[in-house]
Amino acid sequence: MTTLLLARHGLTDLTGPVLAGRTPGVHLSEAGRAQAAALAGRLAGVRLDAIVSSPLERCQETAQAVAEGRGAEVQTDERFVECGYGEWTGRPLRELAEEPLWRVVQAHPSAAVFPGGESLADVQHRAVAAVRDWNRRVGEKGVYLACSHGDVIKAIVADALGLHLDHFQRITADPAALTVIRYAPLRPFILKINDMGELRLPEDSEEKDGGENITGSDAAVGGGPGTT
C-alpha cells in the first residue's frame, strides 16, 4: 500500500486576510519558517521515498525544510500548485465574501469557476491525477510527502473519502498540518486529517502480528488492530 503524506505550507504574511493564490514572491513568514522546521521534526523518524512540492515559494520552502538533513531533493510538480483564482488573486477575503460567487464556492464548489482562472473541479482532477502518478512512481510500499495548498489538499481528501466535491468545504487543512492517506489496491484509507502531532505510521494490516488476509480485502474486519 502506498502512503501519501499531504502537508500544507506554513504561514505567510498573507495567510488569512488575503487570497494569495499564485501571487509570486509570497514566502514563509517567521512563524511559517518555525512551522516548517517543526514539521521536519515531526517527520524525522519517517522514511520518505520522495518529497514533492507545488512550485510556489511557500511550499518549496516548507518542503525544503523537510528535505534538509535527509540528502533528499525536492521535486516540483505543477499539478500540486494552488488553484488559479484568476481575478480573485490578491484580494482581501472580506471583500471576496461579498461576491455572488462566494456562496457558490461555499455551497456548490463543483460549479465554481473563478473569473479568469480555474474551476475547482479542474483543480481536483489535476491534483488527483498527480497523486495517482506519484503512487505508481514510488510503488506499493512507497511513502512520500507532497506539499501543497489548502483547497488542493481538501480536494484530494474528498476524492479519497469518496465525497462529492460539493462537500469538500467540510474538510480542514491548516498551515503545516499533515493529512495521511494510504492507497490500497481496492480503496484509499484516511489515517490522519489535519494533524499537528508527531507521526508514526501504522503497519500494513495484512502483516500485523503475523496475521493473514484471508478475505481478499484490504480492510480489516472490526476497524483494524491499531498502531500499538
Side-chain angles (χ1 to χ4, degrees), residues 40-83:
R42 286 151 53 203
L43 294 177
V46 178
R47 184 193 90 245
L48 293 176
D49 298 305
I51 300 175
V52 192
S53 175
S54 155
L56 296 181
E57 293 93 340
R58 55 195 186 271
C59 282
Q60 291 280 322
E61 291 163 1
T62 303
Q64 189 58 48
V66 177
E68 287 178 1
R70 291 176 177 262
E73 177 185 355
V74 176
Q75 302 184 65
T76 301
D77 192 323
E78 296 278 350
R79 294 171 295 181
F80 288 116
V81 75
E82 178 65 286
C83 175

Side-chain angles (χ1 to χ4, degrees), residues 19 21-22 81-89 101 111-123 126:
L19 187 64
R22 298 181 185 177
V81 75
E82 178 65 286
C83 175
Y85 294 115
E87 296 170 15
W88 279 30
T89 302
L101 180 60
V113 182
F114 295 98
E118 196 174 18
S119 73
L120 285 170
D122 284 343
V123 171
R126 62 165 164 84

